[in-house]
Amino acid sequence: MGKMEEFITKQTCQGANKVFPAPPPLPGPATNCRRKGSLMKNGSAIRGNNCAATATRALWDRLFDGGYKTDVIIKTDNGGIICAHSNILGMASPVLRGMLKQAKGFGHRRPISIHIHGVPQDAVRAFIRFLYSSSYEKEEMKEFVLPLLVMSHTYVVPQLKRVCEQQLEHGLLTIENVVDAFQLSLLCDAPRLTLITHRMIVMTCKAVRETEGWKAMKKSNPALEKELLESMMDEEHGSDIMMQKEKNRKSNEQRIYLQLCEAMEALVHIFRDGCRTIGPHDKDLKEHQTPCDYGDCCKGLELLVRHFASCKLRVPGGCIHCKRMWQLLELHSRLCTDSNSCRVPLCRNLKEKIRKQSKKDEIKWKILVKRILRTKRIGGASIFVSSNSNSSP
């Protein structure tokens, strides 16, 4: 775990300025990618672990394996070297794009050198291959799912991050790796994975405490161990009626706050990216496009937004649906850290209104915002650090 944390916080690069022919265009959004790992082509399913058609995947794999006109050298542990194309890396990852620009600014000659340490070389190769073809091998995912999760978060590759979380949730999470996965989920801002791993640790506490991962965590992070032990004790004494009622109450509250977190993300998704038949005017929307990751939450928000736009009683308190929409918009404005560039309606205006609210209302909102942010940290303990530092105004 020490190497993983060091990898997240320390990355360096070198590079240069020289024009190379642009590679073929990157695969577009995988509109035919299904949630359970199968693709649709001409109405029939194509099995595979990728989000691009088979022929497209093969083309990008050949480009990566062949190393044709590569201009980047990725150096890994034990002297390993992987060749890649700067255009592709820059398009697939904003972090890598920034590293490449910085390297070019230093005036280094081609090929540019990038260092990725703290993870196995084969894991780095699997990561770079995913940037090319949006695909992975089952055996590589099974062996390197945790390093891939770290790299997907560090280099901001959300598609790979979702794949890693889903793979862990649906089979790759074991007694041996659950403690490491739990700690990484906290570092990589993966709240759903945090809840799943935390639940598994509590439910299988005796077996988990015998693993090497637990022993390593006990040495490196005793505060986290203490928090987990308290969770285990609460679970063991759950037969007590009052404790069970309290646990259920907290669980329901946490579920509500998690739903609010998802609603906030879906709200931004609708007004920034668009979904189905609703979104920004500059987006090409299709009613029958592949469902987004937010599912029913996004659909419910879409109906609420349409009602809000056409309701004649669209004043706070005049309509129960509009009142709910006003509350969601105000909650977003309190969580949003950049209202100047935010595309959610009324975000900036509501921030101005917030400053004029009564102290009583302000306290209620601050408590709500604080509890929503705590859902990513399992009970709000200060040791559960999230990479999202948003706070209420």
Side-chain angles (χ1 to χ4, degrees):
M1 280 300 303
K3 287 188 175 181
M4 289 290 188
E5 294 178 14
E6 181 180 355
F7 168 79
I8 292 176
T9 56
K10 296 182 180 179
Q11 293 295 320
T12 58
C13 64
Q14 301 173 353
N17 250 328
K18 187 175 179 181
V19 178
F20 272 77
L26 284 170
T31 57
N32 61 343
C33 179
R34 302 175 71 187
R35 185 176 292 275
K36 294 187 178 180
S38 59
L39 305 175
M40 294 297 295
K41 184 177 181 181
N42 298 328
S44 60
I46 304 175
R47 298 188 179 276
N49 303 303
N50 57 286
C51 295
T54 303
T56 306
R57 174 193 175 193
L59 173 64
W60 288 101
D61 280 343
R62 286 200 304 271
L63 180 63
F64 174 65
D65 293 332
Y68 177 68
K69 289 191 176 181
T70 58
D71 57 343
V72 176
I73 293 178
I74 302 171
K75 297 182 179 180
T76 63
D77 289 344
N78 301 321
I81 291 178
I82 300 173
C83 297
H85 301 81
S86 61
N87 301 61
I88 295 177
L89 299 183
M91 289 296 295
S93 164
V95 176
L96 289 174
R97 180 163 64 248
M99 294 168 64
L100 292 168
K101 287 183 178 179
Q102 185 179 11
K104 292 177 181 178
F106 289 150
H108 293 168
R109 296 181 179 179
R110 302 258 182 176
I112 302 171
S113 294
I114 295 178
H115 299 266
I116 299 181
H117 296 304
V119 292
Q121 180 180 354
D122 289 341
V124 179
R125 178 172 290 276
F127 171 69
I128 300 301
R129 182 183 297 279
F130 190 92
L131 300 185
Y132 275 73
S133 60
S134 299
S135 63
Y136 60 90
E137 298 294 334
K138 284 185 177 180
E139 292 303 319
E140 290 181 339
M141 178 60 68
K142 183 177 180 180
E143 183 177 0
F144 303 119
V145 61
L146 294 183
L148 288 173
L149 174 64
V150 173
M151 287 186 284
S152 67
H153 174 75
T154 302
Y155 295 107
V156 191
V157 186
Q159 185 181 7
L160 177 57
K161 187 175 180 180
R162 286 194 298 270
V163 170
C164 293
E165 292 178 10
Q166 291 169 0
Q167 291 295 319
L168 284 167
E169 182 178 351
H170 296 109
L172 295 186
L173 200 60
T174 66
I175 297 295
E176 294 297 326
N177 69 11
V178 65
V179 175
D180 289 341
F182 175 64
Q183 294 180 84
L184 289 177
S185 69
L186 298 171
L187 294 170
C188 296
D189 189 24
R192 179 175 176 82
L193 183 59
T194 299
L195 292 174
I196 292 170
T197 52
H198 182 268
R199 186 184 304 121
M200 183 174 179
I201 290 173
V202 171
M203 297 300 294
T204 59
C205 56
K206 292 183 179 179
V208 169
R209 292 176 67 179
E210 299 298 324
T211 63
E212 294 299 323
W214 180 276
K215 295 174 183 178
M217 179 194 65
K218 184 177 181 179
K219 294 180 180 179
S220 63
N221 198 341
L224 180 56
E225 184 207 18
K226 181 180 178 181
E227 182 73 17
L228 289 173
L229 288 174
E230 291 176 355
S231 298
M232 292 175 183
M233 291 177 62
D234 290 342
E235 185 68 22
E236 290 174 357
H237 296 85
S239 58
D240 184 273
I241 297 177
M242 294 303 295
M243 290 183 64
Q244 188 64 39
K245 287 184 177 180
E246 181 66 10
K247 177 184 173 183
N248 291 338
R249 184 186 67 82
K250 290 182 178 180
S251 178
N252 290 334
E253 285 183 357
Q254 191 174 58
R255 182 167 61 252
I256 292 172
Y257 295 139
L258 189 61
Q259 290 172 350
L260 283 173
C261 284
E262 187 177 7
M264 293 298 97
E265 294 174 357
L267 191 68
V268 174
H269 159 68
I270 288 175
F271 289 105
R272 183 188 63 192
D273 306 320
C275 187
R276 286 190 290 265
T277 61
I278 190 170
H281 64 84
D282 56 345
K283 296 288 183 179
D284 183 18
L285 303 174
K286 298 180 181 179
E287 184 174 2
H288 301 293
Q289 65 183 359
T290 304
C292 68
D293 294 334
Y294 301 102
D296 293 337
C297 178
C298 196
K299 186 177 181 180
L301 275 176
E302 179 180 343
L303 295 175
L304 193 60
V305 169
R306 290 192 178 279
H307 170 84
F308 184 75
S310 58
C311 182
K312 296 181 180 180
L313 300 175
R314 193 178 50 189
V315 293
C319 169
I320 186 172
H321 301 295
C322 292
K323 182 179 179 180
R324 188 176 304 165
M325 190 67 203
W326 280 112
Q327 291 171 339
L328 290 175
L329 290 173
E330 182 167 351
L331 179 58
H332 163 79
S333 69
R334 290 176 176 273
L335 292 166
C336 183
T337 58
D338 189 6
S339 58
N340 291 326
S341 60
C342 180
R343 305 193 71 172
V344 176
L346 304 176
C347 180
R348 187 173 181 179
N349 293 343
L350 287 173
K351 275 193 178 295
E352 295 294 331
K353 178 184 175 182
I354 288 169
R355 298 188 178 95
K356 303 176 183 178
Q357 280 187 337
S358 66
K359 187 175 181 180
K360 183 178 179 180
D361 290 337
E362 181 68 14
I363 291 175
K364 291 180 179 179
W365 277 106
K366 283 188 175 182
I367 292 174
L368 177 61
V369 169
K370 186 177 181 179
R371 289 181 177 177
I372 289 176
L373 295 177
R374 278 183 177 180
T375 60
K376 297 183 178 181
R377 304 174 184 177
I378 307 296
S382 59
I383 53 176
F384 293 101
V385 181
S386 170
S387 64
N388 185 359
S389 60
N390 290 351
S391 60
S392 62

